Amino acid sequence: MAIIFFIFGATLDTSELLLALKAWKAIIFGLVSMLVICPLFGFICMLLPFKPYEFSLGLAVMACVPTSLSSGVTLVIGAYGNGALALLFTVSGEASGSDRAQ
């Protein structure tokens, strides 16, 4: 995984990275959304009366894990979005350890 992050980071232009770091409002909103709001939504999904119950558990698990490299960065770059900011969110989510069972 570290190799993939390194390759994506090495292909970024330094000016793009600096612009991403200056977007502090977007960084705060993105990290709070990814690490707080989405997991709360997952717990709400567990309260919904889905049949079978395992469906609501699956939604809760998917809401609690941060974005992966393929969905978090590749789709953003493919849509001509801010790839540096997407990489920052993905690395932060992976570094937080929120996708690992403790």
Side-chain angles (χ1 to χ4, degrees):
M1 184 64 77
I3 294 171
I4 296 172
F5 283 131
F6 176 75
I7 291 171
F8 268 106
T11 59
L12 280 177
D13 188 17
T14 307
S15 63
E16 289 180 41
L17 187 60
L18 292 174
L19 281 175
L21 290 174
K22 288 180 182 178
W24 62 271
K25 289 180 184 177
I27 293 171
I28 291 172
F29 177 76
L31 290 177
V32 168
S33 296
M34 183 174 63
L35 300 175
V36 177
I37 296 172
C38 286
L40 289 176
F41 177 73
F43 287 114
I44 291 170
C45 287
M46 290 180 61
L47 300 175
L48 297 175
F50 289 121
K51 299 289 182 196
Y53 180 69
E54 288 79 9
F55 183 68
S56 60
L57 290 177
L59 280 174
V61 168
M62 290 303 295
C64 289
V65 296
T67 58
S68 66
L69 187 64
S70 61
S71 63
V73 178
T74 308
L75 291 175
V76 170
I77 292 173
Y80 302 106
N82 190 339
L85 199 56
L87 183 63
L88 178 67
F89 290 150
T90 303
V91 170
S92 300
E94 294 291 327
S96 72
S98 59
D99 64 335
R100 292 170 184 80
Q102 299 292 327

Coordinates of all heavy atoms in Angstrom, one line a residue:
M1 N 0.8 -1.2 0.0 CA 0.0 0.0 0.0 C 0.9 1.2 0.0 O 0.5 2.2 -0.7 CB -0.9 0.0 1.2 CG -1.9 1.1 1.3 SD -3.1 1.2 0.0 CE -4.2 -0.1 0.4
A2 N 2.0 1.2 0.7 CA 2.8 2.4 0.8 C 3.4 2.7 -0.5 O 3.6 3.9 -0.9 CB 3.9 2.2 1.8
I3 N 3.7 1.7 -1.3 CA 4.2 1.9 -2.7 C 3.3 2.7 -3.6 O 3.6 3.6 -4.3 CB 4.7 0.6 -3.3 CG1 5.8 0.0 -2.5 CG2 5.0 0.8 -4.8 CD1 6.2 -1.4 -2.9
I4 N 2.0 2.3 -3.5 CA 1.0 3.0 -4.3 C 0.8 4.4 -3.9 O 0.7 5.3 -4.7 CB -0.4 2.2 -4.2 CG1 -0.2 0.8 -4.7 CG2 -1.5 3.0 -4.9 CD1 -1.4 -0.1 -4.5
F5 N 0.8 4.7 -2.6 CA 0.7 6.1 -2.1 C 1.9 6.8 -2.6 O 1.8 8.0 -2.9 CB 0.6 6.1 -0.6 CG -0.7 5.8 0.0 CD1 -0.9 4.9 1.0 CD2 -1.9 6.4 -0.5 CE1 -2.1 4.6 1.5 CE2 -3.1 6.1 0.0 CZ -3.2 5.2 1.0
F6 N 3.1 6.2 -2.5 CA 4.3 6.9 -3.0 C 4.2 7.3 -4.4 O 4.6 8.4 -4.8 CB 5.6 6.1 -2.7 CG 6.8 6.7 -3.2 CD1 7.4 7.7 -2.5 CD2 7.4 6.2 -4.4 CE1 8.6 8.3 -3.0 CE2 8.6 6.8 -4.8 CZ 9.1 7.8 -4.2
I7 N 3.8 6.3 -5.3 CA 3.7 6.6 -6.7 C 2.7 7.7 -7.0 O 3.0 8.6 -7.8 CB 3.3 5.3 -7.5 CG1 4.4 4.3 -7.4 CG2 2.9 5.6 -8.9 CD1 4.1 2.9 -7.9
F8 N 1.5 7.7 -6.3 CA 0.6 8.8 -6.5 C 1.1 10.1 -6.1 O 1.0 11.2 -6.7 CB -0.8 8.5 -5.8 CG -1.8 7.8 -6.7 CD1 -2.0 6.5 -6.5 CD2 -2.4 8.5 -7.6 CE1 -3.0 5.8 -7.2 CE2 -3.4 7.9 -8.4 CZ -3.7 6.5 -8.2
G9 N 1.8 10.1 -4.9 CA 2.4 11.3 -4.4 C 3.5 11.9 -5.3 O 3.7 13.1 -5.4
A10 N 4.3 10.9 -5.8 CA 5.5 11.4 -6.7 C 5.0 12.0 -8.0 O 5.7 12.8 -8.6 CB 6.4 10.2 -6.9
T11 N 3.9 11.6 -8.5 CA 3.4 12.1 -9.7 C 2.6 13.5 -9.6 O 2.3 14.1 -10.5 CB 2.4 11.1 -10.4 OG1 1.3 10.9 -9.5 CG2 3.1 9.8 -10.7
L12 N 2.4 13.9 -8.3 CA 1.8 15.2 -8.1 C 2.7 16.3 -8.3 O 3.9 16.2 -8.0 CB 1.2 15.3 -6.6 CG -0.1 14.6 -6.3 CD1 -0.3 14.7 -4.8 CD2 -1.2 15.1 -7.1
D13 N 2.2 17.4 -8.8 CA 3.0 18.6 -8.9 C 3.0 19.3 -7.6 O 2.0 19.3 -6.8 CB 2.3 19.5 -10.0 CG 3.1 20.8 -10.3 OD1 4.3 20.8 -10.0 OD2 2.5 21.7 -10.9
T14 N 4.1 19.9 -7.2 CA 4.3 20.5 -5.9 C 3.3 21.6 -5.7 O 2.8 21.8 -4.6 CB 5.7 21.0 -5.7 OG1 6.6 20.0 -6.0 CG2 6.0 21.5 -4.3
S15 N 3.0 22.4 -6.7 CA 2.0 23.5 -6.6 C 0.6 22.9 -6.3 O -0.1 23.6 -5.5 CB 2.0 24.3 -7.9 OG 1.6 23.5 -9.0
E16 N 0.3 21.8 -6.8 CA -1.0 21.2 -6.5 C -1.1 20.8 -5.0 O -2.1 21.0 -4.4 CB -1.3 19.9 -7.3 CG -1.6 20.2 -8.8 CD -1.8 18.9 -9.5 OE1 -2.5 18.0 -9.0 OE2 -1.3 18.7 -10.7
L17 N 0.0 20.2 -4.5 CA 0.0 19.8 -3.1 C -0.1 21.0 -2.2 O -0.8 21.0 -1.2 CB 1.3 19.1 -2.8 CG 1.5 18.4 -1.5 CD1 0.3 17.4 -1.2 CD2 2.8 17.8 -1.3
L18 N 0.6 22.1 -2.5 CA 0.5 23.3 -1.7 C -0.8 23.9 -1.8 O -1.3 24.4 -0.7 CB 1.6 24.3 -2.2 CG 3.1 23.9 -1.9 CD1 4.0 25.0 -2.6 CD2 3.3 23.8 -0.5
L19 N -1.5 23.9 -2.9 CA -2.9 24.4 -3.0 C -3.8 23.6 -2.2 O -4.7 24.1 -1.5 CB -3.4 24.4 -4.5 CG -2.9 25.6 -5.3 CD1 -3.3 25.4 -6.8 CD2 -3.4 26.9 -4.8
A20 N -3.6 22.3 -2.1 CA -4.5 21.4 -1.3 C -4.3 21.7 0.1 O -5.2 21.7 0.9 CB -4.1 19.9 -1.6
L21 N -3.0 21.9 0.6 CA -2.8 22.2 2.0 C -3.3 23.6 2.4 O -3.6 23.8 3.6 CB -1.3 22.1 2.3 CG -0.7 20.7 2.2 CD1 0.8 20.8 2.4 CD2 -1.3 19.8 3.2
K22 N -3.5 24.5 1.5 CA -4.0 25.8 1.8 C -5.5 25.8 1.9 O -6.1 26.7 2.4 CB -3.6 26.8 0.7 CG -2.1 27.2 0.8 CD -1.8 28.2 -0.3 CE -0.3 28.5 -0.2 NZ 0.1 29.5 -1.3
A23 N -6.2 24.7 1.4 CA -7.6 24.6 1.5 C -8.0 24.0 2.8 O -8.6 22.9 2.9 CB -8.1 23.8 0.3
W24 N -7.8 24.7 3.9 CA -8.0 24.2 5.2 C -9.5 23.9 5.5 O -9.8 23.0 6.2 CB -7.4 25.1 6.3 CG -8.0 26.5 6.3 CD1 -7.5 27.6 5.6 CD2 -9.0 26.9 7.1 NE1 -8.3 28.7 5.9 CE2 -9.2 28.3 6.9 CE3 -9.9 26.3 8.1 CZ2 -10.2 29.1 7.5 CZ3 -10.9 27.1 8.7 CH2 -11.0 28.4 8.4
K25 N -10.4 24.7 4.9 CA -11.8 24.5 5.2 C -12.2 23.2 4.5 O -13.0 22.4 5.1 CB -12.6 25.7 4.6 CG -12.5 26.9 5.4 CD -13.4 28.0 4.7 CE -13.2 29.3 5.4 NZ -13.9 30.4 4.8
A26 N -11.7 22.9 3.3 CA -12.1 21.7 2.6 C -11.5 20.5 3.4 O -12.1 19.4 3.5 CB -11.6 21.7 1.2
I27 N -10.3 20.7 3.9 CA -9.6 19.6 4.7 C -10.4 19.3 5.9 O -10.7 18.1 6.2 CB -8.2 20.0 5.0 CG1 -7.3 20.0 3.8 CG2 -7.6 19.0 6.0 CD1 -5.9 20.6 4.0
I28 N -10.8 20.3 6.7 CA -11.6 20.0 7.9 C -12.9 19.4 7.6 O -13.3 18.4 8.2 CB -11.8 21.3 8.7 CG1 -10.4 21.8 9.3 CG2 -12.8 21.2 9.8 CD1 -10.5 23.2 9.9
F29 N -13.6 19.9 6.6 CA -14.9 19.4 6.2 C -14.8 17.9 5.7 O -15.6 17.1 6.1 CB -15.6 20.2 5.1 CG -16.9 19.7 4.6 CD1 -18.0 19.8 5.4 CD2 -17.0 19.0 3.4 CE1 -19.2 19.2 5.0 CE2 -18.2 18.4 3.0 CZ -19.3 18.6 3.8
G30 N -13.8 17.7 4.9 CA -13.6 16.3 4.4 C -13.3 15.3 5.4 O -13.9 14.2 5.5
L31 N -12.4 15.7 6.3 CA -12.0 14.7 7.4 C -13.1 14.5 8.4 O -13.4 13.4 8.8 CB -10.7 15.2 8.1 CG -9.5 15.2 7.3 CD1 -8.3 15.7 8.0 CD2 -9.2 13.7 6.8
V32 N -13.9 15.6 8.8 CA -15.0 15.4 9.7 C -16.1 14.5 9.0 O -16.7 13.7 9.6 CB -15.6 16.8 10.1 CG1 -16.9 16.6 10.8 CG2 -14.6 17.5 11.0
S33 N -16.3 14.8 7.7 CA -17.3 14.0 7.0 C -16.9 12.5 7.0 O -17.7 11.6 7.2 CB -17.5 14.5 5.6 OG -18.0 15.8 5.6
M34 N -15.6 12.3 6.7 CA -15.2 10.9 6.5 C -15.0 10.1 7.8 O -15.3 8.9 7.9 CB -13.8 10.9 5.7 CG -13.2 9.6 5.4 SD -11.8 9.7 4.4 CE -10.6 10.5 5.4
L35 N -14.6 10.8 8.8 CA -14.3 10.1 10.1 C -15.3 10.2 11.2 O -15.3 9.5 12.2 CB -12.9 10.6 10.6 CG -11.7 10.4 9.7 CD1 -10.5 11.1 10.3 CD2 -11.5 9.0 9.5
V36 N -16.3 11.2 11.0 CA -17.3 11.3 12.0 C -18.7 11.1 11.4 O -19.5 10.3 11.9 CB -17.2 12.7 12.7 CG1 -18.3 12.9 13.7 CG2 -15.9 12.9 13.3
I37 N -19.1 11.9 10.4 CA -20.5 11.9 9.9 C -20.8 10.6 9.3 O -21.9 10.0 9.5 CB -20.7 13.1 9.0 CG1 -20.6 14.4 9.7 CG2 -22.1 13.0 8.3 CD1 -20.6 15.6 8.8
C38 N -20.0 10.0 8.4 CA -20.3 8.8 7.8 C -20.4 7.6 8.7 O -21.3 6.8 8.6 CB -19.2 8.5 6.7 SG -19.4 9.4 5.2
P39 N -19.5 7.5 9.7 CA -19.7 6.4 10.7 C -21.0 6.6 11.5 O -21.7 5.6 11.8 CB -18.5 6.5 11.6 CG -17.4 7.1 10.8 CD -18.2 8.0 9.9
L40 N -21.4 7.8 11.8 CA -22.7 8.0 12.5 C -23.8 7.6 11.6 O -24.8 7.0 12.1 CB -22.8 9.5 12.9 CG -21.9 10.0 14.1 CD1 -22.1 11.5 14.3 CD2 -22.2 9.2 15.3
F41 N -23.7 7.9 10.3 CA -24.7 7.4 9.4 C -24.8 5.9 9.4 O -25.9 5.3 9.3 CB -24.4 7.9 8.0 CG -25.4 7.4 6.9 CD1 -26.7 7.9 6.9 CD2 -25.0 6.5 6.0 CE1 -27.6 7.5 5.9 CE2 -25.9 6.0 5.1 CZ -27.1 6.5 5.0
G42 N -23.7 5.2 9.5 CA -23.6 3.8 9.6 C -24.4 3.2 10.8 O -25.1 2.2 10.7
F43 N -24.3 3.9 11.9 CA -25.0 3.4 13.1 C -26.5 3.7 12.9 O -27.3 2.9 13.4 CB -24.5 4.1 14.4 CG -23.2 3.6 14.8 CD1 -22.1 4.4 14.8 CD2 -23.0 2.3 15.2 CE1 -20.8 3.9 15.2 CE2 -21.8 1.8 15.6 CZ -20.7 2.6 15.6
I44 N -26.9 4.7 12.2 CA -28.3 5.0 11.9 C -28.8 3.9 11.0 O -30.0 3.4 11.2 CB -28.5 6.4 11.3 CG1 -28.2 7.5 12.4 CG2 -29.9 6.6 10.8 CD1 -28.1 8.9 11.8
C45 N -28.0 3.4 10.1 CA -28.5 2.4 9.2 C -28.8 1.1 10.0 O -29.6 0.3 9.6 CB -27.4 2.1 8.2 SG -27.2 3.3 6.9
M46 N -28.1 0.9 11.1 CA -28.4 -0.3 11.9 C -29.7 -0.3 12.5 O -30.3 -1.3 12.9 CB -27.3 -0.5 12.9 CG -25.9 -0.9 12.4 SD -24.7 -1.1 13.6 CE -25.4 -2.4 14.6
L47 N -30.3 0.9 12.7 CA -31.6 1.0 13.3 C -32.8 0.9 12.3 O -33.9 0.7 12.7 CB -31.7 2.4 14.0 CG -30.7 2.7 15.1 CD1 -30.8 4.1 15.6 CD2 -30.8 1.7 16.2
L48 N -32.5 0.9 11.0 CA -33.5 0.8 10.0 C -33.9 -0.6 9.9 O -33.1 -1.6 10.0 CB -33.0 1.4 8.7 CG -32.6 2.8 8.7 CD1 -32.0 3.2 7.3 CD2 -33.8 3.7 9.0
P49 N -35.2 -0.9 9.6 CA -35.7 -2.2 9.6 C -35.5 -2.9 8.2 O -36.5 -3.3 7.5 CB -37.2 -2.0 9.8 CG -37.5 -0.7 9.3 CD -36.3 0.1 9.5
F50 N -34.2 -3.1 7.9 CA -33.9 -3.9 6.6 C -34.1 -5.4 6.8 O -33.9 -5.9 7.9 CB -32.5 -3.6 6.2 CG -32.3 -2.2 5.7 CD1 -31.3 -1.4 6.3 CD2 -32.9 -1.7 4.6 CE1 -31.1 -0.1 5.8 CE2 -32.7 -0.5 4.1 CZ -31.8 0.3 4.7
K51 N -34.6 -6.0 5.8 CA -34.7 -7.5 5.8 C -33.8 -8.0 4.7 O -33.9 -7.6 3.6 CB -36.1 -7.9 5.5 CG -37.1 -7.4 6.5 CD -37.0 -8.2 7.8 CE -38.1 -7.7 8.8 NZ -37.8 -7.9 10.1
P52 N -32.8 -8.9 5.0 CA -32.4 -9.4 6.3 C -31.6 -8.3 7.0 O -31.1 -7.4 6.5 CB -31.5 -10.6 5.9 CG -31.0 -10.3 4.6 CD -32.1 -9.4 3.9
Y53 N -31.4 -8.6 8.3 CA -30.7 -7.7 9.2 C -29.3 -7.5 8.8 O -28.7 -6.4 9.0 CB -30.8 -8.2 10.7 CG -30.1 -7.2 11.6 CD1 -30.6 -6.0 11.9 CD2 -29.0 -7.7 12.3 CE1 -30.0 -5.1 12.8 CE2 -28.3 -6.8 13.2 CZ -28.8 -5.6 13.4 OH -28.2 -4.7 14.3
E54 N -28.7 -8.5 8.2 CA -27.3 -8.4 7.8 C -27.1 -7.3 6.8 O -26.0 -6.8 6.7 CB -26.8 -9.8 7.2 CG -26.7 -10.9 8.2 CD -28.0 -11.5 8.6 OE1 -29.0 -11.2 8.0 OE2 -28.0 -12.3 9.6
F55 N -28.1 -6.9 6.0 CA -28.0 -5.8 5.1 C -27.7 -4.5 5.8 O -26.8 -3.7 5.4 CB -29.3 -5.7 4.3 CG -29.2 -4.6 3.2 CD1 -28.3 -4.8 2.1 CD2 -29.9 -3.5 3.3 CE1 -28.3 -3.8 1.1 CE2 -29.9 -2.5 2.4 CZ -29.0 -2.6 1.3
S56 N -28.3 -4.3 6.9 CA -28.1 -3.1 7.7 C -26.7 -3.1 8.3 O -26.0 -2.1 8.4 CB -29.1 -2.8 8.8 OG -29.2 -3.9 9.7
L57 N -26.2 -4.3 8.7 CA -24.9 -4.4 9.3 C -23.8 -4.1 8.2 O -22.8 -3.5 8.5 CB -24.7 -5.8 9.8 CG -25.4 -6.2 11.1 CD1 -25.1 -7.6 11.5 CD2 -25.0 -5.2 12.2
G58 N -24.1 -4.6 7.0 CA -23.2 -4.3 5.9 C -23.1 -2.9 5.6 O -22.0 -2.3 5.3
L59 N -24.2 -2.2 5.6 CA -24.2 -0.7 5.3 C -23.4 0.0 6.4 O -22.7 0.9 6.2 CB -25.6 -0.2 5.3 CG -26.4 -0.4 4.0 CD1 -27.8 0.1 4.1 CD2 -25.7 0.3 2.8
A60 N -23.6 -0.5 7.7 CA -22.9 0.2 8.8 C -21.4 0.0 8.6 O -20.6 0.9 8.9 CB -23.4 -0.4 10.1
V61 N -21.0 -1.2 8.3 CA -19.5 -1.4 8.1 C -19.0 -0.6 7.0 O -17.9 0.0 7.1 CB -19.3 -2.9 7.9 CG1 -17.8 -3.2 7.4 CG2 -19.5 -3.7 9.1
M62 N -19.7 -0.5 5.8 CA -19.2 0.3 4.7 C -19.2 1.7 5.0 O -18.3 2.5 4.5 CB -20.1 0.0 3.5 CG -19.9 -1.4 2.9 SD -18.2 -1.8 2.4 CE -18.0 -0.6 1.1
A63 N -20.0 2.2 5.9 CA -20.1 3.6 6.2 C -18.9 4.0 7.2 O -18.5 5.1 7.3 CB -21.4 4.0 6.8
C64 N -18.4 3.0 7.9 CA -17.4 3.3 8.9 C -16.0 3.2 8.4 O -15.1 3.7 9.1 CB -17.5 2.3 10.1 SG -19.0 2.6 11.1
V65 N -15.8 2.7 7.2 CA -14.4 2.6 6.7 C -14.1 3.8 5.8 O -15.0 4.2 5.1 CB -14.1 1.3 6.0 CG1 -14.2 0.1 6.9 CG2 -15.1 1.1 4.8
P66 N -12.9 4.4 5.9 CA -12.6 5.5 5.0 C -12.5 5.0 3.5 O -12.4 3.8 3.2 CB -11.3 6.0 5.5 CG -10.7 4.9 6.3 CD -11.8 4.0 6.8
T67 N -12.4 6.0 2.6 CA -12.2 5.7 1.2 C -10.9 4.9 0.9 O -9.9 5.1 1.6 CB -12.3 6.9 0.4 OG1 -11.2 7.8 0.8 CG2 -13.6 7.6 0.5
S68 N -11.0 4.1 -0.1 CA -9.8 3.4 -0.5 C -9.1 4.2 -1.6 O -9.6 5.2 -2.1 CB -10.1 2.0 -1.0 OG -10.9 2.1 -2.2
L69 N -7.9 3.8 -1.9 CA -7.1 4.5 -2.9 C -7.8 4.5 -4.3 O -7.9 5.5 -5.0 CB -5.7 3.9 -3.0 CG -4.7 4.6 -3.9 CD1 -4.5 6.0 -3.3 CD2 -3.4 3.9 -4.0
S70 N -8.4 3.3 -4.6 CA -9.0 3.3 -5.9 C -10.3 4.2 -6.0 O -10.5 4.8 -7.0 CB -9.4 1.8 -6.2 OG -10.3 1.3 -5.3
S71 N -11.1 4.2 -5.0 CA -12.3 5.0 -5.1 C -12.0 6.5 -4.7 O -12.6 7.4 -5.2 CB -13.4 4.5 -4.2 OG -13.0 4.5 -2.9
G72 N -11.1 6.7 -3.7 CA -10.9 8.0 -3.2 C -10.1 8.9 -4.1 O -10.3 10.1 -4.2
V73 N -9.1 8.4 -4.8 CA -8.2 9.2 -5.6 C -8.4 9.0 -7.1 O -8.6 9.9 -7.9 CB -6.7 8.9 -5.3 CG1 -5.8 9.7 -6.2 CG2 -6.4 9.2 -3.8
T74 N -8.5 7.7 -7.5 CA -8.6 7.4 -9.0 C -9.9 8.0 -9.6 O -9.9 8.6 -10.7 CB -8.6 5.9 -9.2 OG1 -7.5 5.4 -8.5 CG2 -8.5 5.6 -10.6
L75 N -11.0 7.9 -8.9 CA -12.3 8.5 -9.4 C -12.2 10.0 -9.4 O -12.8 10.6 -10.4 CB -13.5 8.0 -8.6 CG -13.8 6.5 -8.7 CD1 -14.9 6.1 -7.8 CD2 -14.2 6.2 -10.1
V76 N -11.6 10.6 -8.4 CA -11.5 12.1 -8.4 C -10.6 12.6 -9.5 O -11.0 13.5 -10.2 CB -11.0 12.6 -7.0 CG1 -10.6 14.0 -7.1 CG2 -12.0 12.3 -6.0
I77 N -9.5 11.9 -9.8 CA -8.6 12.3 -10.9 C -9.3 12.1 -12.2 O -9.2 12.9 -13.1 CB -7.3 11.5 -10.8 CG1 -6.5 12.0 -9.5 CG2 -6.4 11.7 -12.0 CD1 -5.2 11.2 -9.3
G78 N -10.0 11.0 -12.3 CA -10.8 10.7 -13.6 C -11.8 11.7 -13.8 O -12.2 11.9 -15.0
A79 N -12.4 12.3 -12.8 CA -13.4 13.4 -13.0 C -12.8 14.8 -13.0 O -13.5 15.7 -12.9 CB -14.4 13.2 -11.9
Y80 N -11.5 14.9 -13.1 CA -10.8 16.1 -13.2 C -11.0 16.9 -11.9 O -11.0 18.2 -12.0 CB -11.1 16.9 -14.4 CG -10.9 16.2 -15.7 CD1 -12.0 15.7 -16.4 CD2 -9.6 16.0 -16.2 CE1 -11.7 15.0 -17.6 CE2 -9.4 15.3 -17.3 CZ -10.4 14.8 -18.1 OH -10.2 14.1 -19.2
G81 N -11.0 16.2 -10.8 CA -11.1 16.9 -9.5 C -9.8 17.2 -8.9 O -8.7 17.0 -9.6
N82 N -9.7 17.6 -7.7 CA -8.5 17.9 -7.0 C -7.8 16.6 -6.5 O -8.1 16.2 -5.4 CB -8.8 18.9 -5.9 CG -7.5 19.5 -5.3 OD1 -6.4 18.9 -5.4 ND2 -7.6 20.6 -4.6
G83 N -6.9 16.1 -7.3 CA -6.3 14.8 -6.9 C -5.4 14.9 -5.7 O -5.3 14.0 -4.9
A84 N -4.8 16.1 -5.5 CA -3.9 16.2 -4.3 C -4.8 16.2 -3.0 O -4.4 15.6 -2.0 CB -3.2 17.5 -4.4
L85 N -5.9 16.9 -3.0 CA -6.8 16.9 -1.9 C -7.4 15.5 -1.6 O -7.5 15.0 -0.5 CB -7.9 17.9 -2.1 CG -8.7 18.4 -0.9 CD1 -7.7 18.9 0.2 CD2 -9.7 19.4 -1.3
A86 N -7.7 14.8 -2.7 CA -8.2 13.4 -2.5 C -7.2 12.5 -2.0 O -7.5 11.6 -1.1 CB -8.7 12.9 -3.9
L87 N -5.9 12.7 -2.4 CA -4.8 11.9 -1.8 C -4.6 12.2 -0.4 O -4.4 11.3 0.4 CB -3.5 12.1 -2.6 CG -2.3 11.3 -2.2 CD1 -2.6 9.8 -2.4 CD2 -1.1 11.7 -3.0
L88 N -4.7 13.5 0.0 CA -4.6 13.9 1.4 C -5.7 13.2 2.3 O -5.4 12.7 3.3 CB -4.7 15.4 1.5 CG -4.6 16.0 2.9 CD1 -3.2 15.7 3.5 CD2 -4.9 17.4 2.9
F89 N -6.9 13.2 1.8 CA -8.0 12.5 2.5 C -7.8 11.0 2.7 O -8.0 10.5 3.7 CB -9.4 12.8 1.9 CG -9.8 14.2 2.0 CD1 -10.6 14.7 1.0 CD2 -9.5 15.0 3.0 CE1 -11.1 16.0 1.0 CE2 -9.9 16.3 3.1 CZ -10.7 16.8 2.1
T90 N -7.3 10.4 1.6 CA -7.1 9.0 1.6 C -6.0 8.6 2.5 O -6.1 7.7 3.4 CB -6.9 8.5 0.2 OG1 -7.9 8.8 -0.7 CG2 -6.7 7.0 0.2
V91 N -4.9 9.3 2.5 CA -3.8 9.0 3.4 C -4.2 9.3 4.8 O -3.8 8.5 5.7 CB -2.5 9.9 3.0 CG1 -1.5 9.8 4.0 CG2 -2.0 9.4 1.6
S92 N -4.9 10.4 5.1 CA -5.3 10.7 6.4 C -6.3 9.6 7.0 O -6.2 9.2 8.1 CB -6.1 12.0 6.5 OG -5.2 13.0 6.1
G93 N -7.2 9.1 6.1 CA -8.1 8.1 6.6 C -7.4 6.8 6.9 O -7.7 6.1 7.8
E94 N -6.4 6.4 6.0 CA -5.7 5.2 6.2 C -4.8 5.4 7.5 O -4.6 4.4 8.2 CB -4.8 4.9 5.0 CG -5.6 4.5 3.8 CD -6.3 3.2 3.9 OE1 -5.8 2.3 4.6 OE2 -7.4 3.1 3.4
A95 N -4.2 6.5 7.7 CA -3.3 6.8 8.8 C -4.1 6.8 10.1 O -3.5 6.5 11.2 CB -2.5 8.0 8.6
S96 N -5.4 7.2 10.1 CA -6.2 7.2 11.3 C -6.4 5.8 11.9 O -6.7 5.7 13.0 CB -7.5 7.9 11.0 OG -8.3 7.1 10.3
G97 N -6.3 4.8 11.0 CA -6.5 3.5 11.5 C -8.0 3.1 11.7 O -8.3 2.2 12.3
S98 N -8.9 4.0 11.2 CA -10.3 3.8 11.5 C -10.8 2.6 10.7 O -12.0 2.2 10.9 CB -11.1 5.0 11.1 OG -10.9 5.4 9.8
D99 N -10.1 2.0 9.7 CA -10.6 0.9 9.0 C -10.0 -0.4 9.6 O -10.3 -1.5 9.0 CB -10.3 1.0 7.5 CG -8.8 1.0 7.3 OD1 -8.0 1.4 8.2 OD2 -8.3 0.7 6.2
R100 N -9.3 -0.4 10.7 CA -8.7 -1.6 11.2 C -9.5 -1.9 12.5 O -9.8 -1.1 13.3 CB -7.2 -1.3 11.6 CG -6.4 -1.2 10.4 CD -5.0 -0.7 10.8 NE -4.2 -0.4 9.6 CZ -4.3 0.7 8.9 NH1 -5.1 1.6 9.2 NH2 -3.5 0.9 7.8
A101 N -9.7 -3.2 12.6 CA -10.4 -3.7 13.8 C -9.4 -3.6 15.0 O -8.3 -4.1 14.9 CB -10.9 -5.1 13.6
Q102 N -9.9 -3.0 16.1 CA -9.0 -2.9 17.2 C -9.2 -4.0 18.2 O -10.3 -4.4 18.5 CB -9.2 -1.5 17.9 CG -8.9 -0.4 17.0 CD -7.4 -0.2 16.7 OE1 -6.6 -0.6 17.5 NE2 -7.1 0.2 15.5

